[in-house]
Amino acid sequence: EADRQYWLSNLTGFTGAGYKAKTLSKGTLDYCVPKDLTEKLLILGNEARISPFVLAMGSVFAYYQGLRTKLDPKSRDMVGDISVNGRYFGDDIAGEPGMFVETLPLRIYYDENQTFTELLSNCKSVMKAGLSHAKTSCNLYFPELQKRGTDLRALTSFSIVDKSCIETLSEYDVGLETDVPFHVRVNLNRDNSMGLQTLRFEYNSDIFTESDFAQIWDGDLRVLNQAAGNPEMRVGDMELT
């Protein structure tokens, strides 16, 4: 019950973008981080004890939510989903056949006065808190959120997985369709030892276009370059376009 109350407390009142896709068609774009930038980000990650996964989450959030806040100063948060293997949470299903997946909707707040490293630390803390309450299925609190007026479609602004880690279901692809606005896969070579190297964007093509994600990648790369040069830069001061 404590876990259920945690999620209700965190997610009640969230409005988000409320994407409404008419189809589940999917587009995919793969991008490589330039080698010299990867090397700089590896140093940043080692010094701040931040994984490539959290770095990717933070940079996408800094760009995408940063733009949303500039367009609408009242827009201050997003929900990014991560998926974990449900078999890690209890012996009662350890021997059962099939795949057990749990979705963790992580609510992240945007503060333009945070430095980039502070934003990364916040993303890491939000993720760790979510994982500590992951034993309660979202099916147990989603109905109550609906009763409280939360549009469940708004609870996925984007989702992200680490391709190098089986605990985040890196082995499972979503096929030719997606009901998620956009999905990010980190390090397609399944190797985090060299830092953040590649990102794959999978997007619902009823909501976004290939041109949209070329722009999102350009903005994300812009954020990463600025962070590598000055990780203590305020995210509100970052050039996004």
Side-chain angles (χ1 to χ4, degrees), residues 97-113:
M99 185 176 72
F100 294 85
V101 181
E102 190 52 60
T103 297
L104 305 185
L106 307 179
R107 189 174 186 177
I108 310 171
Y109 288 87
Y110 181 83
D111 179 356
E112 60 265 75
N113 292 315

Side-chain angles (χ1 to χ4, degrees), residues 162-198:
D162 182 350
K163 290 292 289 182
S164 72
C165 180
I166 185 62
E167 293 188 9
T168 59
L169 299 179
S170 62
E171 299 298 327
Y172 304 110
D173 289 337
V174 294
L176 299 176
E177 297 182 333
T178 180
D179 58 356
V180 175
F182 72 93
H183 184 77
V184 185
R185 296 185 185 273
V186 182
N187 282 349
L188 301 178
N189 62 2
R190 305 179 187 276
D191 180 11
N192 279 344
S193 64
M194 298 304 293
L196 180 61
Q197 303 155 76
T198 60

Side-chain angles (χ1 to χ4, degrees), residues 64-118:
Y64 195 59
Q65 183 57 47
L67 273 187
R68 292 179 65 199
T69 300
K70 287 182 182 295
L71 293 172
D72 178 8
K74 294 181 180 180
S75 176
R76 291 280 163 179
D77 53 358
M78 290 180 71
V79 170
D81 290 354
I82 64 172
S83 297
V84 294
N85 191 332
R87 291 186 184 278
Y88 288 92
F89 304 117
D91 295 332
D92 55 325
I93 61 172
E96 295 295 325
M99 185 176 72
F100 294 85
V101 181
E102 190 52 60
T103 297
L104 305 185
L106 307 179
R107 189 174 186 177
I108 310 171
Y109 288 87
Y110 181 83
D111 179 356
E112 60 265 75
N113 292 315
Q114 281 186 329
T115 66
F116 188 74
T117 51
E118 288 173 338

